[in-house]
Amino acid sequence: HVHKSYSKISYSPFSIIPSRLQLFEYESVSFTCEGFNISAGWKVRSTKKIPLKCSSSTVTKTCGIKYAFASDSGEYWCESGAERSNTVSITVSAGAVILESPVHPVVEGDAVILHCRNKTDKQDANFTADFYKDSLPMGTSYDGKLEIQKVSKSHEGFYKCKIQGVEESPESWLAVRSKSNAR
């Protein structure tokens, strides 16, 4: 058993708006580092080395992308010296379908809703969507949503959805944390 050390990683300070891992092209996205001494040089970093427009207050630092493109997909996090927040991996899709899934790990026993979204439909439009976990069919939904009542570690994996007659979304990782690790 390999135990990873997360002593320098905090799970609360990094948030993303909109709060989902997949975005349509041309949507805006912002990343916020909260609760740290911003004057100590906290920065929002990415694997792509993308320059982000940032604003700071005494308790938060917010950086964003006004119009996201597929090339902006990747991992983002806050960092200052040896300290680092959790990493959020976003996918910006040039396609017509995305999957809304939780940004942060869900806790065992909680309920989670995955929402398949069509770029051309209203947010609350109903349509038939097929859901997949690790490329295996999970079922069909007639309102574009898949609800998992009580999440367990077995639900962890890559999820995607496919709107019949349109196309499928990119995959997103659903992380599940045991109750003992939850804060």
Side-chain angles (χ1 to χ4, degrees):
H1 249 37
V2 176
H3 292 285
K4 291 181 181 170
S5 171
Y6 290 111
S7 59
K8 295 215 185 286
I9 294 183
S10 170
Y11 280 93
S12 57
F14 191 52
S15 60
I16 173 175
I17 297 170
S19 184
R20 50 188 154 93
L21 296 175
Q22 295 185 13
L23 306 160
F24 291 116
E25 271 197 331
Y26 306 109
E27 280 191 286
S28 64
V29 59
S30 64
F31 307 95
T32 302
C33 307
E34 296 172 17
F36 288 98
N37 181 355
I38 299 303
S39 62
W42 274 87
K43 292 181 176 70
V44 173
R45 298 269 193 209
S46 81
T47 48
K48 302 282 182 157
K49 311 271 190 286
I50 300 162
L52 302 171
K53 283 195 174 286
C54 298
S55 66
S56 292
S57 74
T58 52
V59 290
T60 65
K61 181 176 187 99
T62 300
C63 300
I65 301 169
K66 192 165 185 175
Y67 300 106
F69 293 98
S71 58
D72 294 319
S73 297
E75 295 185 341
Y76 293 81
W77 64 90
C78 295
E79 105 181 358
S80 174
E83 281 192 272
R84 187 174 162 161
S85 73
N86 55 302
T87 300
V88 173
S89 181
I90 65 164
T91 302
V92 182
S93 175
V97 177
I98 61 170
L99 177 68
E100 289 187 3
S101 60
V103 170
H104 298 293
V106 291
V107 178
E108 279 184 313
D110 285 357
V112 66
I113 296 174
L114 303 177
H115 187 180
C116 202
R117 274 190 59 200
N118 187 346
K119 190 174 191 172
T120 58
D121 281 348
K122 303 261 186 293
Q123 185 133 3
D124 55 358
N126 287 350
F127 47 79
T128 303
D130 298 317
F131 287 86
Y132 300 85
K133 176 184 178 270
D134 300 325
S135 297
L136 298 171
M138 282 194 72
T140 299
S141 158
Y142 299 98
D143 65 358
K145 295 176 186 160
L146 174 72
E147 184 170 3
I148 303 169
Q149 292 287 346
K150 287 193 174 190
V151 174
S152 69
K153 202 71 177 153
S154 67
H155 289 109
E156 194 166 78
F158 284 101
Y159 286 81
K160 65 182 176 180
C161 65
K162 181 178 184 179
I163 297 177
Q164 293 176 7
V166 184
E167 64 183 49
E168 69 181 33
S169 72
E171 284 187 324
S172 275
W173 177 257
L174 178 69
V176 179
R177 276 196 287 160
S178 62
K179 265 193 160 67
S180 59
N181 291 344
R183 294 182 185 197

